[in-house]
Amino acid sequence: MVSTLIMQYKWIALSNTTLGVLMATINGTITIISLPAIFRGIGINPLAPSSFQYLLWILMGYNVVTATLLLSFGRLSDMYGRVRLYNLGFLVFTVGSILLSLTFGTGDMAGLELVIFRVIQGIGGAFLMANSAAILTDVFPVNERGRALGINQVAALAGSLIGLILGGILSVINWRYVFLVSVPVGVFGTVWSYLKLRETSAKNREGIDWIGNAVFGTGLILVLISMTYALMPYGSAQTGWGNPYVIGSLIAGLGLLALFPFLETRVKYPMFRMELFRIRLFTAANFAGFLRSIGYGGLMIMIVIFLQGIWLPLHGYSYSETPFWAGIYTIPLMIGFVSAGPVSGWLSDKYGSRGLATAGMIIVGLGFLALSTLPYDFSYPVFGAIIFMMGVGNGMFASPNTSSIMSSVPAKHRGAASGMRSTLQNTGQTVSIAIFFTIVILSLSSSLGPSLAHALTQAGAPQLSPYVQKVPVTGALFAAFLGYDPVKALLGTLPPSVASQIPASAISIMEQRTWFPSAIAPSFMLALRETFYFGAILSFVAAAASVLRGKAKISEEVVQYNAEKTRR
């Protein structure tokens, strides 16, 4: 009877944590795909100097918050109960979704509100992510964890897929529905988690490492904020990497993070279990996952910007339709992951994680190289096949890697281990977005002006070439994403003596929907190729790190042995 109840409960835990993952991932992709409708809805001018920061913070603010809090929340869950904090995460996330759908005002005020409410969502998401893998690891035996985590990963990708499609549909109707759609799932999940989930792990009543929390949290926030504002123009430069505040914040943040490991070895109850890094599998798998997040985390937003701002308009789609079709055209990436996730989880239970995870990252690296060969007017079947292959590679890596991390640590530290894993993953994703944008902006800063000047000459308005140099790269990126032509806005600000010299035929050409996408497409594709090379290199390095985890299949006996070994 007892064994039957245990069997039933593990599936209750899996279904509930899967629902949490589903809600969080729907929210992630639905926001990305719907940003044009959201910004048009609140009346943000993409060419205003302050506008690009709202795009960055809505994209990156959620990850900044979760990356900063995951480790602390994982530690707190070991002390006060994983289920208790997981349930609280459902509640906070739902409140954040409601607030987002009720955003008041327009322009900068509405943009600021969206950022604040996304931060609230991020707090709830941190509670969920810090505990879901630990809850599953508690209730599933070691020979079933890969399959359980694989199902969880499939739900994550299913949520991403649902978010892409729903975002395309709901953003056309009303941008507020984009956030409201998470509320019913959140309400149901909150009620169900409080009713059905129960604590199965022993609480670890150790004290809180207040100094470690302060040093780590402050250091990580400074690093991530500096990387975010480094993407904003500074003076005459297209990026802010020369901004003294950015440099100072980055140095201070890195200094605090470098100090953190030394502090953790000297406090009685450390938040970051440094001794876990003595476990070879734990260290290698986390390092591989961190590299994978840096190399891959910025890919989706770059693909979406390119599809919505360039490829779809060039193929006859109106800007009101591009969010929906961008979601449809990225489906192969999700299908590839969903296809490989459960199978790789099941195989890792039988044969171990090293071969699957390593092969998965090699496939992703090859996918990046394949993307770098495409022209900007690529054939969709070729593009679809490549991103499908990349989805398969990620599916082969994700659940075996997570399973091996969680199975390699003693049970009482699973909350901390889950928080450490999720912290590295979310930090990597945030850093990835910053690096991808930096690469694109720096590349476009030298190529965008000549591309626009060439397009103006072909259109019959060469006298405008000096003026297009005033169009900031961030403004051009933002404008392309929102379906907004900055050159048209520029025409309205020209001196009368210059405007009168522009032939009517040239104005007619520049007012065509496809003119601006065609003008920036060559330089933007060149910049994308550089991000693809970066992603390929990181993927291959992640594959090498994955090999270092060793070939032994993890068992509970090995876990106990490693735990005893770390205490000596």
Side-chain angles (χ1 to χ4, degrees):
M1 179 68 177
V2 175
S3 61
T4 301
L5 290 175
I6 293 174
M7 288 288 291
Q8 291 176 345
Y9 179 72
K10 69 181 182 182
W11 297 113
I12 291 174
L14 176 60
S15 59
N16 196 278
T17 55
T18 299
L19 186 64
V21 168
L22 188 71
M23 179 181 69
T25 52
I26 286 175
N27 175 78
T29 53
I30 202 173
T31 302
I32 290 176
I33 209 73
S34 305
L35 280 174
I38 293 170
F39 281 109
R40 284 196 294 266
I42 63 176
I44 288 285
N45 176 10
L47 297 182
S50 62
S51 294
F52 193 63
Q53 66 180 328
Y54 297 123
L55 173 66
L56 291 176
W57 274 107
I58 290 176
L59 284 175
M60 300 171 66
Y62 183 94
N63 281 343
V64 169
V65 173
T66 53
T68 304
L69 296 178
L70 276 169
L71 198 54
S72 300
F73 287 175
R75 181 71 187 87
L76 289 172
S77 70
D78 285 337
M79 297 174 58
Y80 299 108
R82 292 161 195 162
V83 169
R84 176 183 295 180
L85 296 188
Y86 178 84
N87 294 345
L88 181 61
F90 250 124
L91 180 61
V92 173
F93 192 97
T94 304
V95 169
S97 299
I98 294 172
L99 290 173
L100 282 163
S101 68
L102 296 175
T103 299
F104 303 101
T106 58
D108 288 350
M109 179 58 70
L112 180 60
E113 290 174 11
L114 287 174
V115 171
I116 293 172
F117 298 153
R118 281 282 284 171
V119 167
I120 294 174
Q121 264 193 336
I123 295 172
F127 278 119
L128 294 173
M129 286 186 284
N131 292 288
S132 58
I135 290 172
L136 291 178
T137 307
D138 285 338
V139 299
F140 277 88
V142 67
N143 63 333
E144 294 181 0
R145 284 175 192 158
R147 180 175 58 175
L149 290 166
I151 293 172
N152 218 238
Q153 294 289 340
V154 168
L157 264 292
S160 298
L161 175 60
I162 293 170
L164 290 172
I165 297 173
L166 277 179
I169 296 172
L170 296 177
S171 62
V172 175
I173 302 172
N174 190 310
W175 66 268
R176 296 181 188 275
Y177 296 163
V178 167
F179 300 113
L180 198 61
V181 73
S182 297
V183 175
V185 181
V187 170
F188 176 77
T190 301
V191 173
W192 194 26
S193 63
Y194 274 103
L195 291 177
K196 291 293 186 179
L197 292 184
R198 63 176 186 269
E199 296 290 352
T200 59
S201 60
K203 295 178 182 178
N204 188 351
R205 292 294 188 182
E206 296 178 349
I208 297 177
D209 176 19
W210 295 109
I211 295 177
N213 273 274
V215 170
F216 179 82
T218 304
L220 190 58
I221 287 173
L222 286 174
V223 169
L224 295 179
I225 287 178
S226 67
M227 296 192 75
T228 301
Y229 280 101
L231 301 178
M232 302 288 294
Y234 177 70
S236 60
Q238 295 284 3
T239 65
W241 287 106
N243 187 331
Y245 293 104
V246 169
I247 296 172
S249 296
L250 185 61
I251 293 174
L254 291 175
L256 288 173
L257 292 180
L259 178 64
F260 176 71
F262 296 100
L263 289 176
E264 292 300 274
T265 60
R266 289 165 173 77
V267 297
K268 187 176 182 180
Y269 302 117
M271 63 175 287
F272 208 116
R273 294 285 175 179
M274 301 304 297
E275 70 268 20
L276 295 181
F277 286 109
R278 297 177 187 170
I279 303 171
R280 176 180 175 180
L281 176 54
F282 180 84
T283 301
N286 267 303
F287 187 52
F290 181 60
L291 290 172
R292 176 261 177 198
S293 294
I294 296 177
Y296 185 81
L299 175 66
M300 176 60 80
I301 183 61
M302 291 298 152
I303 287 178
V304 168
I305 289 176
F306 183 78
L307 287 176
Q308 292 191 183
I310 297 175
W311 193 86
L312 287 168
L314 290 179
H315 286 77
Y317 294 88
S318 67
Y319 283 106
S320 62
E321 298 175 318
T322 55
F324 174 76
W325 286 106
I328 295 297
Y329 284 146
T330 51
I331 285 178
L333 184 69
M334 312 303 171
I335 293 177
F337 193 106
V338 171
S339 301
V343 176
S344 63
W346 177 75
L347 289 174
S348 70
D349 289 337
K350 294 175 67 68
Y351 304 110
S353 62
R354 184 172 73 164
L356 285 164
T358 302
M361 291 317 302
I362 291 173
I363 290 172
V364 171
L366 293 174
F368 272 116
L369 292 179
L371 285 176
S372 70
T373 66
L374 296 179
Y376 71 83
D377 57 346
F378 55 76
S379 168
Y380 177 75
V382 176
F383 173 79
I386 293 172
I387 63 173
F388 173 81
M389 180 178 70
M390 297 180 75
V392 169
N394 272 295
M396 291 173 62
F397 176 84
S399 55
N401 199 64
T402 301
S403 177
S404 61
I405 290 171
M406 297 307 300
S407 298
S408 67
V409 300
K412 70 175 184 177
H413 295 320
R414 282 175 186 157
S418 180
M420 291 162 73
R421 177 193 66 83
S422 298
T423 295
L424 291 172
Q425 176 180 305
N426 281 269
T427 301
Q429 288 176 347
T430 307
V431 170
S432 179
I433 294 173
I435 291 175
F436 272 53
F437 267 117
T438 298
I439 292 172
V440 169
I441 291 171
L442 290 177
S443 178
L444 286 177
S445 64
S446 60
S447 63
L448 182 63
S451 290
L452 287 175
H454 177 70
L456 286 169
T457 301
Q458 287 190 322
Q463 60 270 47
L464 291 181
S465 296
Y467 294 92
V468 297
Q469 306 298 330
K470 300 177 182 178
V471 177
V473 170
T474 52
L477 274 177
F478 200 5
F481 188 36
L482 301 187
Y484 183 94
D485 185 350
V487 176
K488 289 183 181 178
L490 178 65
L491 291 174
T493 63
L494 292 174
S497 59
V498 176
S500 63
Q501 298 176 16
I502 303 174
S505 59
I507 294 177
S508 176
I509 291 173
M510 289 185 288
E511 288 179 345
Q512 293 176 8
R513 184 181 61 208
T514 59
W515 183 83
F516 182 65
S518 298
I520 68 171
S523 56
F524 190 70
M525 196 65 198
L526 180 65
L528 274 187
R529 289 194 184 102
E530 296 180 13
T531 68
F532 296 153
Y533 295 143
F534 171 80
I537 292 171
L538 266 289
S539 297
F540 292 137
V541 177
S546 186
V547 173
L548 297 177
R549 74 183 64 206
K551 61 182 180 180
K553 181 173 178 285
I554 288 298
S555 67
E556 295 292 349
E557 290 76 21
V558 173
V559 170
Q560 292 171 5
Y561 172 77
N562 284 332
E564 291 297 327
K565 185 178 178 181
T566 59
R567 295 192 188 103
R568 298 190 187 116

